């Protein structure tokens, strides 16, 4: 079954420290993975997708097919990074399957 | 206009009421989605419309009835809901659905917070 696992419900780091939000997936085909972010009182929005191989707001994520992972990383956390982060897998042409989410808190 | 809008923001309804949620986008997107998000849970897909035709129904109970009157509008008609249907209902749209050549980003609305009493 196609599944996305985010093992940490909560993650708290200090400003300036590195951040890594974990995401593991199970998918029988060629996966397409995304990170979505929801800041306080804002709508859910796409942060980045693996096929773009881009860095957004200092965040990067590399698809590791061997480890079936798509961890989100940032070398130096900023207070404005505090938010809810969802890893998502595209299933078929139209369906997104979301992980349970990780609430990231950046402490000053 | 580069946003998905949803009305109302909040809705309280009784179990015998009939109400509708509305979603609108003017980005020329041809795919639209309804998601349900319970508290502290991720969004779960309910329905997908592609080119105004229902293409996915994730085994949603018939008390939820989607409608896509045109390419910019998506409604969710609610009837005889249960208290456990209380949730945040999210609408999303994308330029198209994924094909061999392109993957399309889904843009989410702010949601309608529904309370069933």
């Amino acid at each position: 079954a196609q599944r996305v696992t985010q093992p940490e419900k909560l993650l708290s780091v200090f400003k300036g420290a590195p951040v890594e939000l974990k995401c593991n997936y199970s998918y029988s085909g060629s996966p397409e993975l995304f990170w979505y972010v929801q800041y306080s009182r804002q709508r859910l929005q796409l942060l980045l997708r693996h096929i773009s191989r881009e860095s957004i707001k200092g965040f990067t994520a590399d698809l590791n097919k061997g480890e079936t992972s798509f961890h989100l990383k940032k070398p130096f956390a900023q207070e404005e990074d505090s938010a809810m982060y969802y890893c998502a897998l595209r299933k078929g042409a139209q369906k997104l399957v979301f992980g349970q989410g990780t609430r990231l808190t950046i402490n000053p | 206009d580069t946003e998905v809008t949803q009305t109302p923001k909040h809705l309280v309804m009784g179990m015998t009421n009939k109400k509708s949620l509305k979603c609108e986008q003017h980005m020329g997107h041809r795919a639209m989605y309804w998601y349900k998000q319970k508290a502290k849970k991720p969004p779960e897909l309910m329905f997908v419309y592609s080119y105004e035709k229902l293409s996915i129904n994730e085994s949603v109970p018939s008390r939820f009835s989607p409608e896509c009157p045109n390419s910019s509008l998506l409604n969710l008609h609610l009837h005889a809901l249960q208290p456990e249907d209380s949730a945040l209902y999210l609408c999303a749209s994308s330029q198209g659905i994924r094909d061999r050549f392109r993957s399309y980003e889904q843009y989410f609305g702010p949601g309608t917070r529904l309370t069933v009493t």
Side-chain angles (χ1 to χ4, degrees), chain A residues 9 32 34 36 38 42-46 49 51 84 86 90-101, chain B residues 3-5 33 35 37 40-43 45 48 50 55-56 58 90 97-98 103-106 108-110:
Chain A
K9 280 190 177 178
E32 187 177 357
F34 306 83
Y36 279 82
Q38 190 164 30
Q42 293 188 29
R43 63 188 68 198
L44 193 63
Q45 57 187 288
L46 179 67
R49 65 186 94 181
I51 58 174
M84 190 73 176
Y86 291 101
R90 189 190 298 280
K91 180 180 174 182
Q94 300 170 72
K95 184 175 178 179
L96 280 179
V97 176
F98 288 88
Q100 293 297 305
Chain B
E3 280 194 344
V4 176
T5 59
Y33 312 76
Y35 289 84
Q37 186 175 22
K40 300 189 180 183
K41 295 289 185 184
L45 184 67
V48 180
S50 179
S55 58
I56 291 183
E58 289 286 299
L90 297 172
I97 63 172
R98 205 218 190 286
S103 173
Y104 299 99
E105 176 182 349
Q106 289 188 24
F108 284 82

Side-chain angles (χ1 to χ4, degrees), chain B residues 15-29:
Chain B
M15 289 189 283
T16 58
N17 291 160
K18 282 186 182 181
K19 297 285 184 183
S20 297
L21 309 185
K22 182 179 171 181
C23 173
E24 200 163 358
Q25 56 86 15
H26 296 288
M27 296 180 278
H29 289 177

Side-chain angles (χ1 to χ4, degrees), chain B residues 86-107:
Chain B
S86 299
L88 181 68
Y89 288 84
L90 297 172
C91 175
S93 71
S94 62
Q95 191 175 343
I97 63 172
R98 205 218 190 286
D99 57 31
R100 285 178 59 193
F101 306 104
R102 282 203 61 177
S103 173
Y104 299 99
E105 176 182 349
Q106 289 188 24
Y107 292 81

